[in-house]
């Protein structure tokens, strides 16, 4: 809750009680709010297991690049790297999740991609370019190597964003050697 919302609630309390606003109480409220805001842990947009984007942050990024919220004109697409669900112990699974996050962040560094792990798949929102398509293919290969092949074989699928005619037309102009990456592997 922001300080503005807190002040509005405070004013409503005094109005409902049919009391005049107490300036000393208002100052105490503001000081208390500021003290708590300074010591509160920062809001995180990352998943604690993988270090990748949280589901809410990933969805917000899709909304932002869809052009509805910001007028973004750059073509984006969604890649999904599906991996088999390992059957090992729970602690081994947590280790694999951390390794997946490390590998994905390393492979996609500098691509402006946002990645999230959900339902045995790495979902990647990325600006559409020949270089990024190649990096995603390399990322799939690196994920397959995690845990001595525990996540192999992985499958890489690409999807244009809804209403993303720009993404589809941009994909069609990419040179032939990269086009196979835009299909299911």
């Amino acid at each position: 809750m922001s300080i503005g919302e807190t002040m509005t609630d405070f004013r409503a309390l005094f109005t409902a009680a049919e009391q005049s606003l107490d300036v000393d109480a208002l100052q105490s409220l503001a000081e208390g709010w500021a003290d708590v805001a300074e010591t509160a842990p920062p809001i995180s947009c990352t998943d604690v297991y993988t270090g990748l984007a949280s589901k809410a942050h990933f969805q917000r990024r899709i909304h932002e690049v869809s052009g509805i919220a910001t007028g973004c004109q750059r073509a984006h697409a969604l890649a999904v790297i599906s991996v088999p669900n390992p059957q090992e112990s729970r602690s081994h699974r947590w280790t694999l999740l951390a390794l997946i996050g490390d590998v994905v962040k390393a492979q996609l560094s500098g691509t402006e991609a946002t990645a999230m792990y959900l339902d045995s798949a790495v979902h990647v929102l990325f600006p559409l370019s020949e270089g990024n398509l190649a990096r995603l293919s390399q990322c799939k290969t690196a994920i397959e190597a995690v845990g001595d092949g525990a996540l192999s074989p992985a499958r890489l699928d690409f999807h244009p964003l809804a209403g993303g005619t720009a993404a589809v037309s941009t994909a069609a102009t990419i040179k032939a050697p990269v086009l196979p990456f835009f299909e299911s592997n």
Side-chain angles (χ1 to χ4, degrees):
M1 180 180 285
S2 72
I3 187 68
E5 292 169 320
T6 302
M7 295 294 193
T8 299
D9 290 348
F10 189 77
R11 185 178 319 144
L13 172 69
F14 275 85
T15 301
E18 297 180 354
Q19 299 287 320
S20 61
L21 192 59
D22 182 347
V23 177
D24 291 332
L26 183 60
Q27 180 177 349
S28 294
L29 174 74
E31 289 171 358
W33 190 94
D35 288 343
V36 170
E38 289 176 3
T39 61
I43 296 173
S44 177
C45 296
T46 58
D47 173 67
V48 294
Y49 298 109
T50 63
L52 299 175
S54 66
K55 183 178 177 182
H57 180 68
F58 192 79
Q59 289 172 331
R60 185 171 36 257
R61 285 292 300 139
I62 289 174
H63 179 73
E64 288 170 358
V65 303
S66 69
I68 297 168
T70 61
C72 179
Q73 298 301 315
R74 192 166 179 194
H76 284 75
L78 178 68
V80 180
I81 305 171
S82 302
V83 297
N85 197 0
Q87 300 300 317
E88 278 73 9
S89 71
R90 175 169 267 189
S91 63
H92 182 68
R93 183 168 167 75
W94 288 346
T95 301
L96 284 175
L97 289 174
L99 290 172
I100 288 170
D102 289 345
V103 165
V104 170
K105 288 187 286 187
Q107 292 293 317
L108 300 180
S109 176
T111 64
E112 299 179 39
T114 302
M116 162 190 76
Y117 181 84
L118 181 68
D119 298 331
S120 297
V122 176
H123 304 258
V124 183
L125 176 66
F126 66 100
L128 197 55
S129 73
E130 185 174 343
N132 283 352
L133 291 170
R135 294 280 294 274
L136 283 160
S137 180
Q138 295 166 356
C139 184
K140 174 190 169 278
T141 301
I143 288 172
E144 289 176 321
V146 168
D148 295 325
L151 302 174
S152 183
R155 178 183 162 146
L156 178 58
D157 296 302
F158 292 88
H159 309 278
L161 292 179
T165 54
V168 174
S169 63
T170 302
T173 64
I174 294 175
K175 296 179 180 86
V178 179
L179 279 177
F181 294 132
F182 203 72
E183 299 167 359
S184 297
N185 283 341

